[in-house]
Amino acid sequence: MSEAESRNFIEQIIDKDLAEGVYDTVHTRFPPEPNGYLHIGHAKSILLNYGLAQKYGGKFNVRFDDTNPTKEKEEFVESIKADVAWLGADWEDRLFFASDYFDEMYEGAVRLIQKGKAYVSDLSADEIREYRGTLTEAGKEDPYAGRSVEENLKLFEEMKDGKYADGEKVLRARIDMASPNMNMRDPVIYRVAHIPHHNTGDKWCIYPMYDFAHPIEDAIEGITHSICTLEFEDHRPLYDWVVQELEYPHPPKQIEFAKMYLTNVVTGKRYIKRLVEEGIVDGWDDPRLVSIAALKRRGFTPESIRMFVELCGVSKANSSADYAMLEYCIREDLKLKRPRMMAVLDPVKLIIDNYPEGESEFLEAPNNLENEALGSRRIPFGRELYIEREDFLEEPPKKYFRMFPGNEVRLMNAYFVKCTGCVKDENGVITEVHCTYDPASKGGNSPDGRKVKGTIHWVPAKEAVKATVRLYENIIDEESGVYNEDGSLNLNPNSLSIREAYLEPALADAKAYESFQFVRNGFFCVDYKDSKEGAPVFNRIVSLKSSFVLPKKED
């Protein structure tokens, strides 16, 4: 497949624009509204816009579309900056705010009034909806559309000066109330809102609407290709109308692409906000969410997110990606990078009856069998160990090759041991498993050539590190609906399982965000928020089993 054939449709448009001299450079932007934390879908937009700027040797802006102070917070601004930087999208000194341009937007609105292209209306929001008409019926002219230029200029200035209450007056663009595109039926472009702004304070009590502000922001910054998601396709005629009527010399071009939907996860800000406010999750970065901050906290890497976005591709058709594909990407990224350690998540004590009491030794273990460059470590070994409770059964089913009375197994990187029985408490719960070991089988191989079918992992009881381990499932099954019939959230009661585990001592000094593969249990990451010195908390990033098969590439 040639380079030209492999380029996505956006790159093909850019190639054509450059070849025809429409633009002589490529300048993209990522324009989030700071009304929540970014999620996995935003990662696609960030990486797409940044990637295009890099590919064509152009510029990339991060710009906050902060035109709605009712929902915006400085907390969200800072979280978005951190997320974009973490993904590797370098904006250098090109960080902007829509609110930086409020003066220019106000002047633009005045110019439209002077051209007879905008007017002040006294209709309420409900009346404006009623006058707009339907998809099959044209709208009715606003009764205030006949105001003179002079009156509109006066009223708009009074709106700016705080003379009117919220909702009392709006500024509308004069376009076409009979347009088949509802967005062109004299849209509201300014409203009154007596709310302080996180960036401009109390300077303004009127704020521009997004559809008016966004094209102005792009034009001021010299954006060439304004790349957005498909729901803005019907807004493109209004985008073009604004930049044309305000006579920007090098108008930007809006291009729409399909959003990235992920199955069985919650991405809607209002749903996440409700989860946060009701205390169901411990914040916007709870590891059960797919906000970028949550994925980072859980242990996903920028490389895995980039791989996922690349596999999803860029298209004009909406589609959904399986969450299993995201899990595949993090497994692929970590499997050669991270050490393979032993951790027991549901411990029961294993006692080696014939191992000398009071003695111990150190055994050598490779850190990653697939990557020798990660080296090896020494693990203390003694008479008492912890093993997984599921690795012992008194009465095993067929093809169960782990510990049961009379069976011999291999302790990973250690010795052959033969199970001799167990001890139970008064409730019948197994508290100890007993065995004997073969001293000649050190390293996990018998000198007489006998074979064992089971290998189990362990940690030394005396030196083990006690830790909290958290296992996750989807917090809500969206295929069954986000809400129950009574309006409550359709929560998965098993979305979080907490285990008190024992880890091998090499994990005692693990730092926040460090990740490891725990033998048989998956990949885990040290939680930055809840871990304390001497009491680490590990989040399971992903299990080791995958249901996702990477599609074969076509020749």
Side-chain angles (χ1 to χ4, degrees), residues 69-226:
T70 60
K71 297 180 179 180
E72 296 159 0
K73 295 180 182 178
E74 192 65 32
E75 171 194 353
F76 300 143
V77 170
E78 294 305 315
S79 74
I80 291 169
K81 285 160 64 175
D83 291 344
V84 176
W86 180 73
L87 284 171
D90 184 4
W91 64 77
E92 296 178 355
D93 58 348
R94 307 198 64 79
L95 180 68
F96 303 99
F97 291 83
S99 52
D100 294 338
Y101 314 130
F102 279 172
D103 288 306
E104 289 95 327
M105 292 174 192
Y106 179 79
E107 291 167 5
V110 168
R111 287 205 302 277
L112 290 181
I113 294 172
Q114 291 170 335
K115 293 174 68 173
K117 297 291 186 176
Y119 59 91
V120 173
S121 173
D122 296 2
L123 293 182
S124 67
D126 288 340
E127 289 171 330
I128 287 174
R129 277 191 290 273
E130 180 186 338
Y131 273 67
R132 188 174 285 132
T134 66
L135 292 173
T136 56
E137 295 180 359
K140 298 183 294 182
E141 183 169 313
D142 189 311
Y144 302 98
R147 282 173 166 159
S148 67
V149 168
E150 292 73 19
E151 185 179 5
N152 282 316
L153 288 172
K154 176 177 174 292
L155 290 172
F156 188 50
E157 186 173 3
E158 289 174 348
M159 287 169 61
K160 174 178 73 72
D161 293 340
K163 185 174 180 180
Y164 303 109
D166 294 3
E168 190 174 348
K169 294 187 188 298
V170 295
L171 183 69
R172 301 182 70 176
R174 188 195 305 276
I175 307 179
D176 181 4
M177 290 303 293
S179 172
N181 185 332
M182 299 285 282
N183 296 296
M184 300 297 281
R185 295 183 184 177
D186 290 14
V188 174
I189 59 175
Y190 258 94
R191 80 281 197 195
V192 177
H194 291 269
I195 301 171
H197 189 280
H198 74 95
N199 197 26
T200 60
D202 294 322
K203 179 180 177 181
W204 296 93
C205 62
I206 57 170
Y207 293 99
M209 302 298 287
Y210 175 86
D211 279 346
F212 177 68
H214 194 79
I216 294 175
E217 298 156 26
D218 283 347
I220 290 172
E221 292 176 13
I223 301 301
T224 56
H225 298 86
S226 181

Side-chain angles (χ1 to χ4, degrees), residues 9-10 29 41 44-45 48 181 183 210 226-237 254-261 314-319:
F9 79 95
I10 296 177
R29 85 288 173 270
K44 179 175 183 178
S45 181
L48 173 60
N181 185 332
N183 296 296
Y210 175 86
S226 181
I227 298 164
C228 56
T229 46
L230 278 179
E231 71 264 31
F232 292 101
E233 189 170 28
D234 288 341
H235 297 245
R236 193 193 325 144
Q254 179 174 303
I255 305 171
E256 306 87 17
F257 70 99
K259 268 187 176 179
M260 182 166 67
Y261 292 98
V314 178
S315 73
K316 287 283 283 187
N318 281 324
S319 61

Side-chain angles (χ1 to χ4, degrees), residues 9 94 209 279 284 297 336 374 384 399 434 442 527 546:
F9 79 95
R94 307 198 64 79
M209 302 298 287
W284 288 83
R297 180 180 175 189
L336 296 180
L374 291 182
E384 295 188 2
K399 296 186 177 179
H434 285 257
K442 187 173 183 177
D527 189 81
S546 175

